[in-house]
Amino acid sequence: MSLAPTAATNVVLSSSSPSNWEPENVSFPEDFAWGASTAAYQIEGGWDADGKGPSVWDTFTHQGGDRVFKNQTGDVACGSYTLWEEDLKCIKQLGLTHYRFSLSWSRLLPDGTTGFINQKGVDYYNTVIDGLLANGVTPVVTLYHFDLPEHLEHQGGWRSGAIVAAFDAYAQFCFRTFGDRVKLWLTINEPYVLATLGYEEGVMAPGVKELGTGAYQSAHNMIKAHAVAWHSYNQLFRKKQGGLVSIALNSDWAEPFDPNSPADQEAAKRHMAFCLDWFAAPIFLDGDYPAIMKSKISAVCKRQGIPSSRLPEFTDAEKKMIKGTADFFALNYYTSRKMKHQENTNTQPSMSADKEAEEIKDPSWPVASGSSWLAVVPWGLRQLLKYIKDTYNHPIIYITENGFSQSDPAPLDDTQRWEYFKLTLQEILKAIYIDGVQLKGYFVWSLLDNFEWTCGYRSRFGLFHVDFENPALPRVPYKSAIEYAKVVANNGLVKSQE
């Protein structure tokens, strides 16, 4: 049973609509994709069920040491490995047109290689994909969402150049196995987060702390792995399957702390270069890192007495191979920051210090409960979408993640959270109809309350509440789910949501 009423007729604006228009009763573009997103480790559970191999997150959480809130794990999570039908009910209640989920690499290939294929894992994802299609929902599949097979991490993980061929073999296996039905693919989710938190600061799996080098080296290999997989799809599968392939990039929006300070203005530009452009510039523009990033890291290294830059270089052949390897722009947005110039006097290498920009939360911005880092800045998303349009040649964009957390215990009547969603959707409409952004879809993070990495089950981003104390793991809609379903049914906000 759907949570939404019968769709209503809405007014459609032209791109020349005045800047003072009211976004209620304005339709999103025809065929706009309405979705929700999840990730395998965060919802599936069944961490060692039916032949699944261990991932780096299995190892990371099982080692304890308070690296995760209350030493919680994703061993059970939402139980989606056995409760997929319950997830499908939630998707149908929302009336979603699209559902984004990730494949567990080690559930399909327990040691990360195609030497052994776990048929039970293949069967599970076939069930998910077929269930979605049978209910008119388009699957959007992420190949890799942080959960590298432990066997591959033992071989160097994303720090090793060998990962490129391993990822390509895995990607080709997935394209071959599921590509007859999956037409929207994302290779890697948020390489920035994995590089900085997984291989630089070591606070997320695999827990590697290599300051000043770990992030750059792992990102370098992720970019190459993505590009090689894109070319494999393009050459071997696209003609027959007709799908699209991209990479999910996360980014904050950066504003200068002092708008009148040239130093702070440059700091904001550097933050964008070290965050979004680090990955987007090679893939969407010229195959290479942003010039501002290369020059800044090189200058810092010289001051630190390091003879060559800590940022790896792409060969000319690699630049040519990487350039243009995305069929659309997939963006994950949560928050914004103000940037203040901060000279790096640190003698120790550090990726975060290289950009010479201090991140500041404006105290006037509300903060989502359950996530101290998540300042709610809906207008920042509009600015970011404009930036992508202007910087990356007016691409087709999907917002593949956006959401707001609540702290546990979370009220089902999440009125304040829905207000954040509504303000965000209003800014998206402005981006589409006033700024001319080619935005084709919006995915809420997340369908379900789930295992939120180092925050465990404390931060609740779900449209559906999950009772993790109940072995049945029941799903119950928050108010925001009910309101989101109305938006989906109407293809826009309506006056009743005022």
Side-chain angles (χ1 to χ4, degrees):
M1 180 180 179
S2 173
L3 294 169
T6 304
T9 302
N10 291 350
V11 178
V12 178
L13 293 180
S14 71
S15 59
S16 60
S17 299
S19 59
N20 62 348
W21 58 273
E22 293 297 326
E24 287 76 19
N25 272 12
V26 176
S27 287
F28 280 76
E30 188 177 356
D31 297 325
F32 193 79
W34 292 106
S37 298
T38 59
Y41 184 79
Q42 293 178 270
I43 68 167
E44 284 181 3
W47 77 275
D48 62 349
D50 295 336
K52 177 186 172 293
S55 76
V56 291
W57 269 96
D58 294 319
T59 302
F60 187 80
T61 57
H62 292 169
Q63 288 173 344
D66 295 318
R67 293 187 291 184
V68 175
F69 178 69
K70 292 186 176 180
N71 286 320
Q72 293 169 338
T73 77
D75 289 1
V76 177
C78 305
S80 294
Y81 183 62
T82 55
L83 296 174
W84 158 245
E85 292 296 333
E86 297 304 309
D87 294 354
L88 184 57
K89 289 177 185 176
C90 296
I91 293 166
K92 291 167 65 176
Q93 281 182 284
L94 293 169
L96 300 181
T97 65
H98 292 63
Y99 176 61
R100 178 188 169 210
F101 64 99
S102 78
L103 306 175
S104 166
W105 189 340
S106 62
R107 193 179 298 285
L108 290 165
L109 308 177
D111 69 355
T113 76
T114 54
F116 175 74
I117 296 167
N118 180 22
Q119 188 59 42
K120 291 287 185 67
V122 174
D123 293 344
Y124 170 66
Y125 292 118
N126 276 331
T127 298
V128 172
I129 293 166
D130 293 344
L132 290 169
L133 292 172
N135 286 277
V137 180
T138 299
V140 181
V141 176
T142 307
L143 293 173
Y144 172 74
H145 197 126
F146 299 168
D147 49 349
L148 190 71
E150 182 65 31
H151 179 75
L152 295 181
E153 183 58 35
H154 288 166
Q155 299 175 355
W158 288 107
R159 292 171 294 167
S160 168
I163 195 70
V164 175
F167 184 76
D168 183 45
Y170 165 60
Q172 288 193 41
F173 166 77
C174 294
F175 297 150
R176 188 177 302 110
T177 305
F178 307 114
D180 58 327
R181 291 152 292 157
V182 175
K183 306 303 176 185
L184 288 171
W185 293 96
L186 297 168
T187 54
I188 298 171
N189 180 75
E190 297 184 347
Y192 174 89
V193 171
L194 178 62
T196 56
L197 301 185
Y199 288 95
E200 173 89 6
E201 299 176 23
V203 296
M204 288 179 64
V208 174
K209 189 171 184 177
E210 292 185 354
L211 293 175
T213 58
Y216 299 139
Q217 187 59 54
S218 57
H220 198 69
N221 289 325
M222 280 188 267
I223 292 169
K224 289 194 288 185
H226 157 79
V228 168
W230 184 92
H231 281 288
S232 289
Y233 189 85
N234 197 48
Q235 295 164 10
L236 303 175
F237 301 97
R238 188 186 300 275
K239 184 176 180 180
K240 184 176 181 180
Q241 296 181 358
L244 302 173
V245 180
S246 189
I247 182 171
L249 302 179
N250 67 290
S251 184
D252 304 336
W253 173 244
E255 293 267 329
F257 178 75
D258 179 357
N260 298 314
S261 164
D264 288 0
Q265 292 171 9
E266 291 303 311
K269 292 178 183 177
R270 286 197 301 275
H271 178 78
M272 295 307 297
F274 274 76
C275 186
L276 181 66
D277 303 340
W278 182 7
F279 301 92
I283 292 168
F284 287 89
L285 293 182
D286 59 5
D288 200 6
Y289 296 119
I292 188 174
M293 188 178 184
K294 293 196 293 183
S295 62
K296 179 58 66 175
I297 296 169
S298 179
V300 170
C301 287
K302 286 181 180 178
R303 290 204 303 266
Q304 294 173 337
I306 301 171
S308 60
S309 177
R310 288 179 273 104
L311 182 68
E313 294 184 3
F314 294 118
T315 65
D316 288 343
E318 286 172 341
K319 292 175 187 177
K320 185 177 180 180
M321 184 268 293
I322 293 165
K323 178 182 177 181
T325 54
D327 301 319
F328 57 94
F329 202 111
L331 173 67
N332 295 357
Y333 172 81
Y334 288 93
T335 190
S336 293
R337 289 289 186 269
K338 293 192 172 180
M339 294 293 153
K340 190 172 186 177
H341 174 73
Q342 184 179 57
E343 187 171 349
N344 181 8
T345 58
N346 195 344
T347 58
Q348 297 299 316
S350 165
M351 179 264 171
S352 62
D354 284 343
K355 69 179 179 180
E356 296 194 322
E358 179 187 4
E359 299 183 22
I360 298 172
K361 275 190 303 186
D362 189 317
S364 70
W365 296 341
V367 175
S369 67
S371 300
S372 59
W373 57 270
L374 208 171
V376 180
V377 192
W379 57 263
L381 175 55
R382 179 185 176 190
Q383 295 302 314
L384 183 56
L385 290 169
K386 287 170 63 179
Y387 177 84
I388 293 169
K389 174 197 169 189
D390 295 341
T391 306
Y392 295 106
N393 301 317
H394 199 17
I396 289 174
I397 305 172
Y398 287 84
I399 297 170
T400 41
E401 287 184 27
N402 174 249
F404 310 95
S405 60
Q406 299 186 94
S407 57
D408 183 41
L412 290 176
D413 186 7
D414 59 339
T415 303
Q416 182 61 68
R417 190 165 66 134
W418 174 248
E419 183 67 19
Y420 296 155
F421 275 116
K422 189 176 75 169
L423 291 171
T424 299
L425 293 172
Q426 291 172 351
E427 293 297 324
I428 289 172
L429 282 168
K430 293 174 188 176
I432 294 170
Y433 290 115
I434 297 175
D435 305 330
V437 173
Q438 290 193 91
L439 187 65
K440 300 297 185 183
Y442 174 81
F443 292 69
V444 170
W445 183 269
S446 175
L447 179 69
L448 307 171
D449 287 340
N450 57 54
F451 179 83
E452 281 295 337
W453 308 119
T454 56
C455 292
Y457 300 100
R458 175 180 58 186
S459 296
R460 292 176 173 261
F461 278 87
L463 289 169
F464 284 79
H465 176 274
V466 179
D467 183 354
F468 296 106
E469 302 300 317
N470 184 333
L473 299 166
R475 288 90 157 113
V476 178
Y478 289 104
K479 177 181 179 179
S480 56
I482 297 168
E483 295 298 324
Y484 186 52
K486 294 177 185 176
V487 172
V488 174
N490 287 283
N491 198 34
L493 291 159
V494 294
K495 285 287 188 181
S496 62
Q497 293 178 312
E498 275 291 276

